[in-house]
Amino acid sequence: MTQITRDALNQAISAVGAAIEAADPHGKAHGLRTLLTYGLYKLFDDLRGQKRAFDREAFMAGLRRAQMMAETHPVVLQAESPAAAAETIEVFTADLYSRCWTYYTDQEFLDMAKLFDKRFVMSGISLDLKGKKCIDLGCGSGRYVIAMADAGASESWGFDLSERAIADGTARAQRLGYSDRCHFQAGSVLELPFEDESFDFVSCNGVLHHTTDPKKGLAELARITRKDGIAYVMLYGSGELWWDLTDMMRSVMACVPRGYAFSALELLSVAPGKVFNYMDHVFVPCREVISHAEFQDRLRAVGFKSWQIMERGEMIDSAERKTLFAEDADLVGEADLRYVCRF
């Protein structure tokens, strides 16, 4: 049987988006838009979580079902939509992520923290954080802050744009017995309130690509990293089919209030991690994808001399799929960019 091509999947993704816009030309059918985009998100996420090559036929079948549902939906003709409150990108982003993290119970939160060490171990990278001063930039409610404390950090800091996330992280650290080692502070990663070379280890996982100036954020990260220290950075790699799907979803969901989407996912009893992942990719206002070559140029520009690329991880990580399944190469592109950097 002939394998379904990347282009054919892209065309089917575009057809779904066009069918939704045709059924709802004025952006009123929030339920239809949320249901179809979450359904496709879940299908893709389930397929990339399987320990086998990506099932293109199953994904294509799901796209066709979504298109049929949109095409058979009554056309929504109401022309007026409630005006959205004006928000800065920073305020929007902070509110979005602060809501995502509060869904986790303490046990779920601790389970998520374990992913920090697991990805390093799988990639054969040994981190010695004992007695070190560490910080996680864009920490959310602090899962990696706790992970660094567990790894022996003498000081483990969390820094995030959201006051709500910082408050949640502080409260969790107190409840879980980490308040003596874990500290939290609010602010922008584009203007860090720390002296040069303040930290032995700086972590920034999936954050810089959501800022208005990723290059400035990387320069700030480098500035506060000690010259004999280490920085860990994760960014979105370009060229994935996932970005084609989420570009369509972002366009379709642009008219849907994020509060409505949060409520719909809650009603569907969606797991906290999936709420986070869906809302992250669909609603965050800034999102950059970048190639390895582009990112390495940026690393050199801020002074890093060497780095290790982490090519292993969870099954849903595109780098892991690229390593295990050669037939997925056209679907994952550059894959995840996870770098351990040194001066």
Side-chain angles (χ1 to χ4, degrees):
M1 181 180 294
T2 304
Q3 179 170 264
I4 296 171
T5 66
R6 165 74 177 266
D7 286 344
L9 292 171
N10 281 338
Q11 290 170 11
I13 287 170
S14 297
V16 173
I20 293 172
E21 297 300 345
D24 182 31
H26 302 295
K28 295 286 288 184
H30 297 162
L32 173 71
R33 290 170 181 265
T34 304
L35 177 62
L36 287 181
T37 56
Y38 178 71
L40 290 174
Y41 155 79
K42 185 177 186 305
L43 174 61
F44 192 101
D45 198 56
D46 287 346
L47 292 176
R48 68 177 176 176
Q50 296 175 0
K51 198 168 186 178
R52 50 174 293 192
F54 190 82
D55 192 335
R56 301 172 191 233
E57 291 184 13
F59 186 54
M60 179 63 84
L63 290 167
R64 288 171 176 157
R65 286 194 297 271
Q67 182 179 349
M68 181 179 296
M69 181 176 178
E71 289 175 344
T72 56
H73 191 278
V75 175
V76 180
L77 297 176
Q78 291 92 334
E80 294 186 3
S81 297
E87 293 179 295
T88 66
I89 288 174
E90 289 78 10
V91 169
F92 188 107
T93 304
D95 178 72
L96 173 66
Y97 286 114
S98 65
R99 294 196 197 195
C100 289
W101 285 114
T102 55
Y103 282 96
Y104 288 92
T105 66
D106 286 346
Q107 187 56 56
E108 289 168 333
F109 197 79
L110 291 172
D111 290 342
M112 288 289 291
K114 294 176 183 177
L115 290 176
F116 177 80
D117 183 61
K118 183 176 181 180
R119 286 192 172 107
F120 285 98
V121 170
M122 290 189 68
S123 294
I125 296 174
S126 177
L127 284 181
D128 181 8
L129 302 184
K130 293 179 180 177
K132 302 295 178 62
K133 184 178 180 181
C134 307
I135 189 169
D136 185 32
L137 302 177
C139 66
S141 290
R143 58 176 178 160
Y144 287 175
V145 180
I146 286 176
M148 293 186 300
D150 280 340
S154 58
E155 290 184 52
S156 188
W157 284 80
F159 188 82
D160 198 271
L161 188 62
S162 168
E163 296 276 3
R164 183 178 178 181
I166 291 301
D168 186 57
T170 301
R172 282 187 193 271
Q174 290 174 344
R175 285 199 306 272
L176 297 171
Y178 288 88
S179 56
D180 60 329
R181 289 171 291 159
C182 295
H183 316 282
F184 294 86
Q185 185 170 341
S188 170
V189 296
L190 302 183
E191 296 180 4
L192 296 173
F194 303 107
E195 298 291 333
D196 295 355
E197 299 189 51
S198 292
F199 295 92
D200 300 293
F201 178 74
V202 179
S203 169
C204 191
N205 187 80
V207 175
L208 296 180
H209 47 230
H210 292 321
T211 68
T212 55
D213 193 343
K215 291 182 180 179
K216 183 178 180 183
L218 183 63
E220 279 288 272
L221 176 151
R223 180 183 65 78
I224 67 167
T225 305
R226 288 177 179 154
K227 296 308 178 187
D228 59 350
I230 299 174
Y232 161 66
V233 185
M234 180 273 180
L235 294 172
Y236 293 153
S238 58
E240 285 196 60
L241 179 68
W242 175 242
W243 304 130
D244 300 314
L245 175 64
T246 53
D247 281 344
M248 181 274 285
M249 293 164 59
R250 287 164 65 84
S251 176
V252 164
M253 292 296 288
C255 62
V256 179
R258 63 184 179 278
Y260 179 97
F262 269 117
S263 296
L265 299 181
E266 289 173 352
L267 186 64
L268 293 170
S269 299
V270 176
K274 303 308 179 186
V275 172
F276 180 98
N277 198 252
Y278 172 86
M279 297 298 294
D280 174 7
H281 289 294
V282 173
F283 281 95
V284 71
C286 295
R287 187 204 67 191
E288 179 188 54
V289 296
I290 189 173
S291 70
H292 282 280
E294 290 174 295
F295 184 55
Q296 289 171 16
D297 284 344
R298 292 184 187 181
L299 289 175
R300 294 186 189 96
V302 298
F304 287 111
K305 299 293 194 301
S306 65
W307 47 79
Q308 293 171 271
I309 300 173
M310 298 169 64
E311 297 180 343
R312 302 302 304 273
E314 291 291 287
M315 189 54 61
I316 61 171
D317 296 339
S318 53
E320 176 75 358
R321 300 195 65 80
K322 190 171 186 176
T323 298
L324 296 182
F325 307 114
E327 55 267 55
D328 281 0
D330 63 323
L331 302 183
V332 299
E334 294 281 321
D336 315 311
L337 274 59
R338 287 188 170 88
Y339 279 65
V340 176
C341 314
R342 296 175 173 83
F343 291 107

